[in-house]
Amino acid sequence: MSKRTLRHGGVVVASLALALTACGGSSGGGSDASAPAGSTGASAAAGSDVKDGLDCTPYKAFGDLKGKQVSIYTSIVAPEDQPQIDSYKPFEACTGVKVNYEGNKAFENQLQVRIAGGNAPDIAYIPQPGLLQKVVATGKAIAAPQQVSDNVDKYFGKDWRAYGSVDGKLYAAPLGANVKSFVWYSPKAFEDKGYTVPTTWDEMTALSDKIAADNPDDKPWCVGFGSGDATGWPGTDWLEDVLLRTAGADVYDKWVNHTIPFNDPQVATALAKVGSIIKNPKYVNGGLGDVKSIATTEFSEAGQPILDGGCWMHRQASFYAANWPKGTDISEHGDVYAFYLPPIDPSKGKPVLGAGEFVASFRDAPEVSAFRTYLSSPEWANIKAKLSSGWVSANKGADIANFKNPIDALSVKILQDPNTVFRFDGSDQMPAAVGAGSFWKGMTDWITGKSDSATLADIEKTWPKS
C-alpha cells in the first residue's frame, strides 16, 4: 500500500464538550437579524448604549441589576470553559451583574443531588432533553421568561423549541449544538484519485466499491465503537442517522418515544442498511482490522487511518475535529474535511442528527431572566463564535463568518438550512436503561456477530414497562 503522508506531529488535547450535536440560510449579519427580543437595529446603530460591542438597551427592561450575581453550573470544564466565561463579559459590562461559573465533570449526577438538597444553581446547562424532563419533574425549574421564548421562536426552529420544552412549556433555550451527520475524508486524497464527494447514498455506495477496487490494500471505511464504559454509542448514532434517512423524522420520533417498538420492521430495515456498510468485510475496517475490530477500536482513534492511508471515510460528528493531530489542515481542500451523510430516500428531506445543551434555570429573578435572554440572543452566539473553535450554534441569527473553524462554519450552515430536518440524538432521549445501557451494548454485540433481529429484540425487552 502506498501510504498517504498527511499526518502531522502532536496531538490536540482539547476536545469539544458534548452535551452531548443542521444549513441554510442567512448569515444573520443584518441589524434586525442580530437583535434579541425587544431590541432594534436602529437603537444599536444610533449608539444608544453599547458596551463591549453589546447594545445594552434590551437589558434595561429588567431594572437596576448592578451588584447582582448569577451562578452557572455545567459540565463544560477547562479548557472549553474559558471562551464561555469570556463571552459573558459584555453582559456583565451592560448590567453590572457578576456571573459565577462552575464546571464539574460529574455535573449530571451532582445537579440532581443539588436540586434535591435545595442547593440548585441559578442556571444549569443541560446536555440532554431527558435530563431536562427529570429536573422539571422536581418542580424546581423555572419556565422561560417571555423574552427568551420570543428569541427561541425567532432564532431557533420548532424542533429546538420542542427539545427545550416539557409538556408544551418552554423551560430551556438552546445553547450550543453539534452536527453528527458527517463523513470525514481527505480532500487531498480524493483529488489525487479523482474521487468526488457523494451527494446520494447510492453514490456513496458506488464510491465505496470503487475505492475498494482501486485500492486493494485499503478499505473504504474505518469505524470505532470503543469509548470506555460508553462503548457502543457510535453504533447508536449510525442507526439513528440511517433511520432518519430510510423511515423519516416522524417514525424516528415514534421510535425514540416507544410508540412503536424498538424492533419495529422499519428499524430493522435501517439496521440492515447500516450493516451493508460497516458489516461489509470489503468496506471495513481500514487500517484497523476486520469487522469485529470495530468493537474494540476507540472512536477517538478510528478516523486516524485517513491520514496514513488504509481508510478513506469515517462517519463521526463535528466534534471529531478535536481528535486530529495538531497541525492537520482541516479545510475543504486540506488534509481532512467532512461531507454531509447523504440522504437515502429524497422524500424524507434533509435529515440531520445532532445534539446540544439547553439553559435551564432554578431561580426566578430579574438578573437571571436577563442573563437567559442574553444567552438566547444572536448577539451572544456571535460573541461566543468569535472566541471559540470547536463550538457551534443553531441560532439562525449567528453569522457564519464568525465561525473561523471550517467544520464549525459548515455545521452552522447545515443547521441554518431551511430544508434541514433536525433531530436530537435518540439514545440521549431514551430511558437510561436503554439509551445509555442496552442500546450501547446491543450495538457492540451486533458488530461482533449477533443478528439484526436478535439485537433489536433483546434491546426491546429492556425498555422499562412504566
Side-chain angles (χ1 to χ4, degrees):
M1 174 178 64
S2 176
K3 290 278 187 179
R4 297 194 292 272
T5 55
L6 303 176
R7 185 179 291 273
H8 299 263
V11 177
V12 175
V13 296
S15 61
L16 175 66
L18 282 192
L20 118 226
T21 12
C23 179
S26 61
S27 68
S31 58
D32 289 340
S34 62
S39 73
T40 65
S43 65
S48 53
D49 185 10
V50 177
K51 294 181 179 178
D52 285 0
L54 177 67
D55 178 15
C56 303
T57 305
Y59 306 102
K60 292 181 178 178
F62 296 96
D64 183 6
L65 303 179
K66 188 175 182 180
K68 302 290 187 180
Q69 298 192 32
V70 174
S71 64
I72 295 174
Y73 192 51
T74 173
S75 62
I76 303 171
V77 297
E80 288 85 8
D81 58 350
Q82 198 57 51
Q84 283 282 346
I85 294 166
D86 291 344
S87 73
Y88 310 149
K89 290 179 180 178
F91 173 82
E92 292 176 315
C94 273
T95 62
V97 173
K98 178 175 173 51
V99 179
N100 300 310
Y101 187 99
E102 181 184 356
N104 188 337
K105 291 182 178 180
F107 161 83
E108 186 169 335
N109 290 330
Q110 288 303 306
L111 174 64
Q112 297 176 76
V113 170
R114 288 178 59 167
I115 293 171
N119 186 33
D122 295 337
I123 284 176
Y125 296 161
I126 306 290
Q128 301 105 9
L131 180 57
L132 177 64
Q133 293 172 5
K134 284 184 180 180
V135 300
V136 169
T138 67
K140 304 298 183 182
I142 307 297
Q146 190 61 49
Q147 295 92 334
V148 171
S149 181
D150 291 346
N151 275 350
V152 171
D153 284 341
K154 186 172 182 179
Y155 298 113
F156 297 88
K158 292 181 180 179
D159 297 335
W160 282 99
R161 183 183 180 94
Y163 290 127
S165 300
V166 177
D167 295 331
K169 180 181 289 188
L170 180 67
Y171 281 89
L175 188 74
N178 64 65
V179 172
K180 295 194 169 190
S181 300
F182 276 143
V183 177
W184 290 88
Y185 73 109
S186 170
K188 289 181 178 178
F190 268 44
E191 290 166 12
D192 287 346
K193 284 285 189 175
Y195 300 150
T196 57
V197 169
T199 58
T200 69
W201 191 273
D202 286 344
E203 288 179 2
M204 189 174 74
T205 301
L207 175 61
S208 299
D209 289 334
K210 183 168 179 55
I211 289 171
D214 291 350
N215 308 275
D217 292 329
D218 297 355
K219 293 292 175 69
W221 293 86
C222 40
V223 187
F225 284 8
S227 187
D229 291 342
T231 288
W233 71 258
T236 72
D237 283 0
W238 265 98
L239 178 54
E240 291 161 14
D241 238 343
V242 172
L243 182 62
L244 283 171
R245 284 158 174 74
T246 56
D250 289 344
V251 170
Y252 179 87
D253 292 341
K254 292 176 182 177
W255 176 67
V256 167
N257 294 315
H258 207 233
T259 56
I260 61 173
F262 196 96
N263 59 339
D264 184 271
Q266 296 168 100
V267 184
T269 297
L271 185 59
K273 197 70 153 178
V274 176
S276 72
I277 298 287
I278 68 172
K279 271 193 162 183
N280 185 340
K282 294 180 180 179
Y283 286 0
V284 295
N285 194 16
L288 298 165
D290 59 8
V291 172
K292 291 183 178 181
S293 72
I294 291 172
T296 54
T297 298
E298 286 296 310
F299 92 93
S300 59
E301 296 295 325
Q304 302 303 308
I306 288 175
L307 295 177
D308 297 333
C311 167
W312 292 77
M313 292 180 286
H314 175 63
R315 186 223 154 273
Q316 192 48 269
S318 56
F319 56 76
Y320 195 78
N323 291 284
W324 299 109
K326 186 176 181 180
T328 301
D329 179 2
I330 305 174
S331 67
E332 192 171 0
H333 301 286
D335 299 334
V336 292
Y337 196 52
F339 62 82
Y340 166 73
L341 182 68
I344 296 173
D345 181 349
S347 71
K348 307 306 179 187
K350 185 179 181 179
V352 172
L353 184 71
E357 309 96 25
F358 298 84
V359 182
S361 177
F362 303 93
R363 183 163 70 92
D364 188 4
E367 61 271 22
V368 178
S369 294
F371 189 58
R372 296 175 77 183
T373 300
Y374 175 61
L375 293 177
S376 65
S377 74
E379 280 85 359
W380 177 75
N382 284 308
I383 289 167
K384 178 65 167 63
K386 292 177 182 178
L387 293 167
S388 301
S389 179
W391 181 83
V392 172
S393 172
N395 191 309
K396 295 176 182 177
D399 187 340
I400 294 174
N402 289 326
F403 294 82
K404 304 306 182 186
N405 179 312
I407 291 296
D408 295 348
L410 178 61
S411 299
V412 173
K413 186 181 178 185
I414 289 174
L415 288 165
Q416 290 185 355
D417 187 341
N419 295 316
T420 286
V421 180
F422 180 86
R423 285 298 182 269
F424 206 92
D425 183 290
S427 60
D428 282 349
Q429 301 178 71
M430 295 174 180
V434 178
S438 61
F439 195 3
W440 290 350
K441 183 179 185 301
M443 292 304 294
T444 305
D445 292 341
W446 173 78
I447 202 63
T448 55
K450 196 169 185 175
S451 71
D452 295 7
S453 58
T455 296
L456 296 176
D458 286 349
I459 298 172
E460 166 63 21
K461 292 174 185 176
T462 68
W463 199 284
K465 302 302 180 184
S466 59

